[in-house]
């Protein structure tokens, strides 16, 4: 590829030759892991976020403490004042990222209050474009739209189409995994979730609210370490979805399925967050059943300290473990919460510089820094770390 360039077989797709011009490597999209130096990132938007209808899949993915909130407000916007605060926090986060030398891109503003009907289901609102990590994932020069499982997220891709077209025109490979129809067959309407014990038992049995009727996955259930991709079967990612991605990626990649002691798995990045080559922050409440494999790899697993967020602060769509849902700017710098002092200390001990922002109100929509972003371009090449 010339002059020590890091273009790999996959990223060479991005080279365009125009007659009469010297060919320039054009790599608008390039990311292989969670820690190479970050050059460009998509940051989500709280604007217009709506409370989803209280359907089976929403019930299975949310804390029972908020079920009355969903019953009352499902199909209407999240509280205005809260969203305003979240917007200010996310703007500040974008400024901090720019200050750290990262190009920040945003999805389009969309009116999520419109109801919609497909031949298979209807929904009173769309959810939001707050969490690009759930819908977009990058493998080399390929950016992929994930086939997410919530009905309120069916049309979420519309917020990203301007960006995706731009990346495509600049040479990226753009893929949309087959969208699930989301008819009743995708959900187990008899899924019994009245208690935490139920959830533990069902997760242990490998039973989740989504069935295996058709492939579905949220991109945030995958975490990348070069040629090795780790994934969990969760409430929103099924085995067919995992297999679809495995076959799509082909023999250049190894897709490893992990399991955790977790009563309600949804998104791996507040459970097992790979923050460096062979370095993982692990959630002590959700131990990984495959730790021996990582010991064999010689990886270092660091237990995250307990989060400190008060019980009064609403987290409508997540646990408090968003404290470990951090975004690496490179191997030595991490974007993390200003208010989570124990994890700041943990990073200091690891010799990682913290870049701190407070996104407590933005957290209420279900994500930390990793969820609120999709890294579009990191300086690096496809490697194996095991
Ligand atoms: N969307 C990430 C939420 C993960 C968690 O609560 O643990």
């Amino acid at each position: 590829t010339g002059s020590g360039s890091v273009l790999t077989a996959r990223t060479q797709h991005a080279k365009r030759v125009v007659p009469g011009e010297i060919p320039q490597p054009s790599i608008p999209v390039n990311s292989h892991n969670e820690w190479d130096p970050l050059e460009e990132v998509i940051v989500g938007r709280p604007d217009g976020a709506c409370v989803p209808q209280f359907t089976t899949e929403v019930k299975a993915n949310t804390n029972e403490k908020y079920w009355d909130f969903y019953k009352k407000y499902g199909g209407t916007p999240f509280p205005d004042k809260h969203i305003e605060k979240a917007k200010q926090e996310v703007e500040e986060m974008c400024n901090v990222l720019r200050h750290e030398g990262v190009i920040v891109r945003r999805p389009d503003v969309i009116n999520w209050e419109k109801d919609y009907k497909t031949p298979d289901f209807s929904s009173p609102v769309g959810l939001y474009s707050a969490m690009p990590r759930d819908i977009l994932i990058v493998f080399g020069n390929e950016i992929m739209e994930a086939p997410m499982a919530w009905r309120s997220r069916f049309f979420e891709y519309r917020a990203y189409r301007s960006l995706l077209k731009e990346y495509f025109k600049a040479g990226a490979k753009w893929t949309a995994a087959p969208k699930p129809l989301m008819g009743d067959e995708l959900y187990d309407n008899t899924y019994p979730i009245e208690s935490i014990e139920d959830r533990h038992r069902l997760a242990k049995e490998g039973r989740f609210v989504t069935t295996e009727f058709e492939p579905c996955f949220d991109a945030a259930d995958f975490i990348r370490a070069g040629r090795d991709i780790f994934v969990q079967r969760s409430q929103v990612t099924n085995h067919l979805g995992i297999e679809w991605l495995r076959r799509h990626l082909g023999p250049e990649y190894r897709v490893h399925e992990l399991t955790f002691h977790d009563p309600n798995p949804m998104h791996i990045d507040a459970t097992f967050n790979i923050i460096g080559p062979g370095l993982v922050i692990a959630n002590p409440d959700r131990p990984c059943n495959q730790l021996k494999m990582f010991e064999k790899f010689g990886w270092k697993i660091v237990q995250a300290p307990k989060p400190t967020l008060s019980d009064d602060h609403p987290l409508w769509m997540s646990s408090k473990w968003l404290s470990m849902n951090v975004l690496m700017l490179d191997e030595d710098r991490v974007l993390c919460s200003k208010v989570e002092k124990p994890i700041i200390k943990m990073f200091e001990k690891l010799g990682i510089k913290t870049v701190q922002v407070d996104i407590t109100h933005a957290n209420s929509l279900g994500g930390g820094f990793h969820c609120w972003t999709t890294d579009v371009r990191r300086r690096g090449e496809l490697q194996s770390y095991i």
Side-chain angles (χ1 to χ4, degrees):
T1 55
S3 63
S5 161
V6 294
L7 286 178
T8 64
R10 287 178 78 79
T11 56
Q12 279 178 13
H13 286 291
K15 283 177 81 175
R16 287 178 304 151
V17 180
V18 178
E21 278 183 21
I22 299 166
Q24 294 290 320
S26 159
I27 317 177
V29 170
N30 181 64
S31 180
H32 300 280
N33 59 42
E34 311 291 336
W35 62 82
D36 275 344
L38 184 62
E39 294 184 339
E40 182 162 332
V41 72
I42 301 174
V43 176
R45 281 188 186 278
D47 310 59
C50 285
V51 182
Q53 196 177 19
F54 193 53
T55 49
T56 316
E57 77 276 16
V58 172
K59 185 174 179 188
N61 283 289
T62 48
N63 189 315
E64 55 187 287
K65 167 171 161 187
Y66 297 113
W67 287 353
D68 284 342
F69 172 85
Y70 281 99
K71 284 179 197 159
K72 188 163 173 198
Y73 297 109
T76 68
F78 276 100
D80 257 5
K81 277 193 186 144
H82 202 99
I83 293 296
E84 273 317 306
K85 285 184 187 154
K87 272 165 80 172
Q88 285 167 16
E89 289 170 354
V90 175
E91 286 307 319
E92 177 60 6
M93 168 182 166
C94 292
N95 286 336
V96 168
L97 280 163
R98 289 185 195 106
H99 183 78
E100 293 296 319
V102 180
I103 296 170
V104 174
R105 309 302 306 274
R106 308 298 299 277
D108 293 338
V109 176
I110 298 269
N111 175 8
W112 300 109
E113 277 188 71
K114 284 189 192 159
D115 62 338
Y116 52 86
K117 191 169 174 7
T118 77
D120 302 288
F121 72 94
S122 61
S123 178
V125 287
L127 183 63
Y128 54 32
S129 56
M131 308 294 157
R133 184 71 59 183
D134 299 352
I135 184 168
L136 296 175
I137 189 161
V138 172
F139 298 101
N141 80 325
E142 176 175 10
I143 187 158
M144 181 185 293
E145 294 171 25
M148 297 190 293
W150 281 21
R151 287 174 167 173
S152 55
R153 309 192 81 171
F154 189 81
F155 287 112
E156 200 163 305
Y157 64 89
R158 296 178 68 248
Y160 300 93
R161 283 291 169 95
S162 303
L163 281 172
L164 293 175
K165 275 187 289 185
E166 181 194 316
Y167 292 137
F168 177 68
K169 285 178 187 167
K173 194 170 166 186
W174 171 17
T175 309
K179 279 185 88 57
L181 301 180
M182 296 189 186
D184 290 343
E185 302 91 336
L186 181 58
Y187 311 100
D188 178 355
N189 283 303
T190 64
Y191 186 74
I193 34 167
E194 292 312 322
S195 68
I196 191 83
E197 290 77 24
D198 281 342
R199 289 182 187 230
H200 267 295
R201 180 177 49 78
L202 292 163
K204 225 176 179 171
E205 288 169 10
R207 204 175 142 200
F208 300 97
V209 73
T210 46
T211 66
E212 294 293 336
F213 181 71
E214 57 190 339
C216 63
F217 62 82
D218 275 17
D221 272 320
F222 293 83
I223 197 139
R224 304 157 307 154
R227 292 190 185 278
D228 291 279
I229 312 294
F230 300 90
V231 59
Q232 62 173 354
R233 194 335 176 172
S234 77
Q235 298 287 17
V236 290
T237 294
N238 64 15
H239 289 298
L240 281 177
I242 296 170
E243 184 56 23
W244 184 90
L245 189 67
R246 181 179 280 123
R247 285 190 213 168
H248 176 80
L249 290 175
E252 271 188 294
Y253 290 85
R254 293 171 288 251
V255 177
H256 309 261
E257 197 176 325
L258 303 180
T259 56
F260 301 90
H261 181 70
D262 183 355
N264 202 31
M266 179 176 174
H267 303 164
I268 200 167
D269 50 358
T271 298
F272 197 80
N273 196 359
I274 307 179
I275 59 163
L279 181 59
V280 179
I281 319 177
N283 182 325
D285 279 359
R286 303 172 189 167
C288 176
N289 296 319
Q290 288 75 30
L291 272 187
K292 283 220 162 79
M293 173 170 84
F294 292 97
E295 278 164 22
K296 245 175 42 202
F297 295 166
W299 286 25
K300 181 173 172 177
I301 313 283
V302 182
Q303 299 296 317
K306 286 251 178 259
T308 58
L309 200 65
S310 138
D311 283 338
D312 302 340
H313 185 75
L315 288 178
W316 293 302
M317 307 178 108
S318 76
S319 69
K320 291 186 190 179
W321 285 104
L322 297 180
S323 54
M324 59 173 281
N325 185 262
V326 296
L327 179 73
M328 299 309 289
L329 304 182
D330 56 36
E331 274 183 52
D332 305 312
R333 282 178 307 156
V334 62
L335 187 66
C336 67
S337 169
K338 196 182 239 170
V339 298
E340 287 287 351
K341 301 298 178 200
I343 203 155
I344 292 173
K345 260 200 192 139
M346 185 202 84
F347 285 120
E348 281 165 2
K349 265 197 201 153
L350 289 170
I352 295 172
K353 179 178 175 251
T354 57
V355 177
Q356 302 170 22
V357 188
D358 180 7
I359 59 162
T360 310
H361 292 84
N363 287 155
S364 301
L365 294 181
F369 296 96
H370 198 255
C371 299
W372 272 93
T373 54
T374 290
D375 39 320
V376 171
R377 207 170 56 254
R378 291 183 182 271
R379 216 166 39 249
E381 60 190 301
L382 186 60
Q383 289 185 49
S384 180
Y385 300 95
I386 62 175

